[in-house]
Amino acid sequence: MSRIEKNIEEIRKDIKEHSPNPEKVRFIGVTKYVGIEEMLEVAKCGVKIFGENKAQVIKEKEEKFRELGIDDIEWHFIGNLQKNKVKYIAEYVSLIHSVNKLSLAQEIEKRAEQNNRIIDVLLEINIAGEESKEGYVLEELYRELPEIMKLKNINIKGLMTMAPFSDDEVLVRGVFKRLREIKDELNTKYFNGQLTELSMGMTNDYKIALEEGATLVRIGRKIFQ
Ligand SMILES: *Cc1c(COP(=O)(O)O)cnc(C)c1O
C-alpha cells in the first residue's frame, strides 16, 4: 500500500468513527500542494472530489484531467476567490465554498448565466472574527442575504468556515458548533431546510468537525504527509 493510499484509508476510517452520519460525509482531497501525478494516485484511491484555491491552477488541472479522458471528478473551489477570477472556473466548478460578499455572488451569477449553469455555493462565515480570515461576520451576512437570495443562477447549499489554527479543542469545537447553529437558524428564517452542507474541518481539526456535524471535510496535508 502506498503512503497516499494508507493516509486515505485512515481518513475514511476516521469519518466512520467520528461522524454521527458518515454516509452523509464527503471528503474533499485538497490537491493545491501537488501536481497531476499525485492527483492521479488520489483519484485511483476513489477520491473524486478535488479542492483547489487558485483559479488558474484549478483550470489547468481540470483541462489536464479532461485531456486524459478522466471526467468523473468534481472540482471544488475552496479559497479566497477574486471576482476577476470567477471566469476561469464558472464552466465546470461543482461547488464554490467561499462566497463572502455580495459582489462576488453577483459575479458568479453573471458567469453562471453565461454558461447556462446554476452553480452551487456555500457562504463562508468568519465565526471567530479573526481579522486575518475571510468570510462573513454575521451582521454583514444578514444585511446582504436578501440580495444574494434573489440571484437565480446560484444555489446556496450550506455554510463553510475555517477554525482558528489552535490546539485548544474547546475553542475549535465551539466554532464548528456555532456554524451548525447558524445553519439551523438560517434554515428556519430564510431557507426552509435547503441548507444541508457544512464544510468544516481540515487536517488538524477534521475529527472535531465531523463530531460537530461536518458534511464536507477539506483535507490536504494528511493525504500527502
Ligand atoms: C489548504 C486548505 C485546506 C486543507 O488544509 P490541510 O491543512 O492541508 O488539510 C482546507 N481548506 C482551505 C480553505 C484551504 O485553503
Side-chain angles (χ1 to χ4, degrees):
M1 217 194 247
S2 76
R3 187 172 45 89
I4 287 178
E5 212 177 341
K6 194 168 132 285
N7 292 336
I8 288 173
E9 280 301 300
E10 211 173 294
I11 293 165
R12 291 204 169 109
K13 187 162 146 272
D14 287 335
I15 291 172
K16 288 206 187 89
E17 281 174 11
H18 290 272
S19 170
N21 295 102
E23 70 288 347
K24 294 208 176 121
V25 176
R26 289 184 297 155
F27 149 38
I28 297 155
V30 175
T31 49
K32 66 189 183 192
Y33 309 103
V34 299
I36 299 295
E37 285 302 310
E38 283 113 319
M39 289 172 76
L40 287 169
E41 192 176 341
V42 173
K44 224 169 63 189
C45 298
V47 176
K48 297 299 172 76
I49 309 177
F50 290 148
E52 291 277 338
N53 67 348
K54 297 227 160 61
Q56 277 116 319
V57 174
I58 192 173
K59 179 178 165 66
E60 280 169 29
K61 287 176 167 175
E62 191 271 342
E63 281 168 0
K64 187 72 199 169
F65 267 74
R66 260 193 297 127
E67 271 169 44
L68 294 168
I70 303 169
D71 57 6
D72 61 346
I73 303 290
E74 270 189 33
W75 298 90
H76 287 205
F77 195 88
I78 60 169
N80 186 34
L81 180 56
Q82 287 168 348
K83 267 182 297 184
N84 61 356
K85 304 282 173 69
V86 174
K87 59 177 180 281
Y88 295 117
I89 64 172
E91 200 181 327
Y92 56 84
V93 72
S94 293
L95 183 64
I96 298 174
H97 289 234
S98 44
V99 170
N100 57 12
K101 51 178 93 66
L102 176 60
S103 57
L104 174 61
Q106 287 166 332
E107 176 68 15
I108 296 169
E109 166 82 0
K110 180 176 121 193
R111 298 290 175 181
E113 211 175 335
Q114 285 172 355
N115 284 282
N116 285 314
R117 297 189 64 204
I118 292 172
I119 295 182
D120 288 342
V121 304
L122 306 176
L123 302 170
E124 181 177 0
I125 316 284
N126 183 353
I127 303 264
E130 289 175 283
E131 297 257 347
S132 60
K133 291 249 162 76
E134 301 289 332
Y136 271 116
V137 294
L138 265 194
E139 55 185 44
E140 207 179 309
L141 173 67
Y142 276 112
R143 190 150 20 92
E144 295 195 346
L145 194 55
E147 286 303 311
I148 296 183
M149 290 184 72
K150 285 183 197 156
L151 304 173
K152 297 275 187 281
N153 288 61
I154 73 173
N155 182 25
I156 305 169
K157 303 276 285 182
L159 307 179
M160 182 270 222
T161 200
M162 288 172 83
F165 193 81
S166 165
D167 288 336
D168 182 348
E169 190 183 317
V170 175
L171 173 78
V172 171
R173 189 178 296 280
V175 165
F176 294 146
K177 198 176 287 211
R178 185 72 190 116
L179 192 71
R180 193 183 61 211
E181 289 166 3
I182 295 167
K183 180 186 73 125
D184 293 344
E185 197 174 303
L186 291 174
N187 264 333
T188 307
K189 284 193 186 147
Y190 295 95
F191 286 95
N192 195 24
Q194 175 196 317
L195 303 182
T196 54
E197 303 293 339
L198 284 175
S199 170
M200 54 192 200
M202 313 170 23
T203 292
N204 54 308
D205 56 18
Y206 71 87
K207 292 177 197 168
I208 304 171
L210 287 163
E211 288 162 8
E212 296 305 327
T215 63
L216 294 160
V217 283
R218 311 178 308 269
I219 301 177
R221 281 175 299 140
K222 166 97 188 175
I223 301 177
F224 304 105
Q225 75 195 0

